[in-house]
Amino acid sequence: MNRTLKYYNYAQCYAHYTERIMSVRQAKIRGEVIVAKPVLMLALIDGIGQGVFTNNRFTLNEWLEEHYLLLIRQYAKESQFDKPTDISNPFWHLKTDGFWHLQYKADADKGTTPSKAWLKENVTFAYFDDDLWTLLQNEEWRTRLREYIVEHKLTSHHWLRRLSEGLATIAAIMLVA
């Protein structure tokens, strides 16, 4: 369902969350950025688009795990690790980026990365900020955000573009000097 709110500023919300997405902290292994958090976000966005998630409550279910693995194999570099990052890592650590939240069953917050079994046992559900959830209900803006994540967090060509811009600047400086 493509729901549009009359008095909701989609463009402003999109700008806010693309800025937040660019600030998502990602770990590195052997100097390469781990893509698990952006991949989890894509899986969640796809689940919303396919009607798997119809309210702002996400659980570690079979569909999410399988779709995450499909996407992580698509976007992760083989050189990063012997096996794909387990979904428990981004599901847990995305909460540090401020727009993904975990609802615990009890006073169960854990300081270290828990296992998938621990998450299933102690987290009732996870959820996005209400504004982000509302944005993702609109097909056009959901598609835009998905494409933004792919372009800016999951493909290397955006780094090449920045590199070429930097090289062009250096060339211009050298011509002037």
Side-chain angles (χ1 to χ4, degrees):
M1 179 172 125
N2 187 20
R3 192 174 107 194
T4 303
L5 299 175
K6 192 173 184 177
Y7 300 108
Y8 183 78
N9 190 328
Y10 287 95
Q12 186 177 22
C13 186
Y14 174 83
H16 172 76
Y17 283 104
T18 54
E19 185 177 312
R20 299 291 298 276
I21 288 166
M22 287 307 295
S23 299
V24 166
R25 290 171 287 203
Q26 293 173 256
K28 288 185 178 183
I29 291 180
R30 295 188 284 275
E32 294 181 18
V33 176
I34 304 302
V35 297
K37 284 181 179 181
V39 164
L40 175 62
M41 292 172 63
L42 285 191
L44 295 164
I45 289 169
D46 290 350
I48 294 167
Q50 294 177 28
V52 174
F53 303 111
T54 57
N55 59 39
N56 194 7
R57 292 179 175 214
F58 303 93
T59 57
L60 276 174
N61 62 29
E62 187 176 328
W63 185 93
L64 182 59
E65 290 181 54
E66 288 176 6
H67 197 66
Y68 168 82
L69 283 174
L70 175 78
L71 292 171
I72 198 85
R73 287 186 184 110
Q74 179 180 348
Y75 289 106
K77 293 180 181 178
E78 289 182 23
S79 60
Q80 287 186 345
F81 30 17
D82 299 331
K83 60 182 184 167
T85 303
D86 187 79
I87 194 170
S88 60
N89 288 353
F91 196 91
W92 174 260
H93 290 290
L94 191 59
K95 71 180 184 156
T96 64
D97 295 300
F99 54 85
W100 175 253
H101 314 280
L102 302 179
Q103 179 66 49
Y104 300 99
K105 291 182 180 175
D107 191 23
D109 194 359
K110 189 173 181 177
T112 60
T113 307
S115 67
K116 187 171 16 177
W118 187 94
L119 286 169
K120 286 181 176 183
E121 184 176 319
N122 292 286
V123 175
T124 307
F125 58 87
Y127 59 98
F128 284 125
D129 288 350
D130 289 338
D131 284 326
L132 180 54
W133 171 255
T134 301
L135 181 78
L136 293 171
Q137 298 314 293
N138 181 285
E139 183 180 1
E140 175 187 348
W141 290 98
R142 183 173 58 245
T143 301
R144 282 186 186 189
L145 192 60
R146 188 187 196 288
E147 290 171 355
Y148 183 89
I149 293 168
V150 169
E151 180 179 344
H152 291 90
K153 288 293 196 174
L154 298 174
T155 56
S156 58
H157 77 273
H158 86 279
W159 294 108
L160 293 174
R161 186 176 66 241
R162 284 187 177 177
L163 177 62
S164 67
E165 289 169 358
L167 292 174
T169 302
I170 291 170
I173 292 170
M174 291 178 72
L175 286 174
V176 172

